[in-house]
Amino acid sequence: MATKKATNKSSNPTISVSLRIDPKTKYLIDLLARDQKRTITGVIEWAIERAAAQVQFDQNSGTYYNDMIDELWSTDEATRLTALALHKPSLLDYDQMRIWETVKASPDLWRSGYMPSPNLPIHAHALEVGIIRRYWDSIVEHVDQFRHSPAVKPFVLTSEQKKEAGISDSNFDDFPDELPF
């Protein structure tokens, strides 16, 4: 007697996707599924994996999408957006671009003394990914608050947030008013 094996859905979550395809393509998928003894989902996943191995992610380095997916994918939204923005910002959608532009314009989200230049490549090591992850919800809320602004408004950590993150609040208040030289 066969028993049904219990599966833990949280260990391997899936996402439902609704597709609109023409009847001929649907029939082709059905035929492939029958021939390969796969489910329709299996055929679609197989086709996407084959495409990812054939389409170049970066023409200069010769990397393909399947080479990059482990670097780009994270269950953490902040990490995922940051990775995509650093590797191929042209793939960001409008909302992601607003968040990334805010991150780039926010000195509190970069290592001390570094601010990205619009004309130069960004140094990923200078980005405070841990701080972005910690305050992700606040950053997204900030971007949403200023969504109608024609210019990007930098995200600024409060003094309390800076203290939590271990960032010194270098506003020079602790310096004497007159220096002895």
Side-chain angles (χ1 to χ4, degrees):
M1 177 175 181
T3 59
K4 197 171 192 178
K5 184 178 171 185
T7 59
N8 182 356
K9 292 209 179 232
S10 65
S11 67
N12 190 15
T14 59
I15 297 178
S16 295
V17 177
S18 177
L19 299 172
R20 290 190 184 275
I21 55 175
D22 64 79
K24 186 176 178 182
T25 302
K26 167 65 168 80
Y27 183 65
L28 178 59
I29 293 170
D30 286 338
L31 293 177
L32 287 168
R34 291 178 204 165
D35 187 54
Q36 297 176 359
K37 298 188 182 8
R38 298 178 190 248
T39 63
I40 289 173
T41 299
V43 170
I44 293 170
E45 288 175 344
W46 168 77
I48 291 169
E49 288 169 3
R50 294 221 24 205
Q54 294 174 357
V55 178
Q56 282 194 333
F57 179 82
D58 183 0
Q59 307 290 340
N60 297 328
S61 68
T63 56
Y64 292 84
Y65 276 85
N66 66 336
D67 299 329
M68 294 299 299
I69 192 61
D70 288 334
E71 287 185 49
L72 298 174
W73 172 249
S74 173
T75 58
D76 180 75
E77 186 180 1
T79 303
R80 198 169 53 242
L81 183 136
T82 302
L84 182 58
L86 290 171
H87 284 89
K88 196 162 183 177
S90 63
L91 294 180
L92 297 173
D93 65 27
Y94 179 77
D95 292 331
Q96 292 170 328
M97 183 62 76
R98 288 292 291 194
I99 294 168
W100 181 239
E101 292 295 328
T102 300
V103 167
K104 290 193 316 187
S106 304
D108 289 348
L109 303 178
W110 296 88
R111 298 206 193 284
S112 181
Y114 181 84
M115 275 299 292
S117 171
N119 301 326
L120 298 174
I122 292 175
H123 298 289
H125 69 277
L127 188 61
E128 292 281 8
V129 178
I131 293 174
I132 293 170
R133 288 176 66 196
R134 178 183 283 170
Y135 298 108
W136 179 252
D137 292 338
S138 298
I139 294 168
V140 171
E141 187 178 299
H142 171 84
V143 171
D144 188 51
Q145 178 183 355
F146 294 102
R147 69 183 171 278
H148 298 298
S149 175
V152 174
K153 303 288 185 193
F155 175 78
V156 179
L157 293 172
T158 65
S159 294
E160 185 177 309
Q161 289 172 325
K162 286 182 183 183
K163 193 181 295 184
E164 285 176 7
I167 300 172
S168 66
D169 199 358
S170 57
N171 57 11
F172 304 107
D173 287 342
D174 54 347
F175 280 89
D177 290 337
E178 292 187 32
L179 294 176
F181 46 86

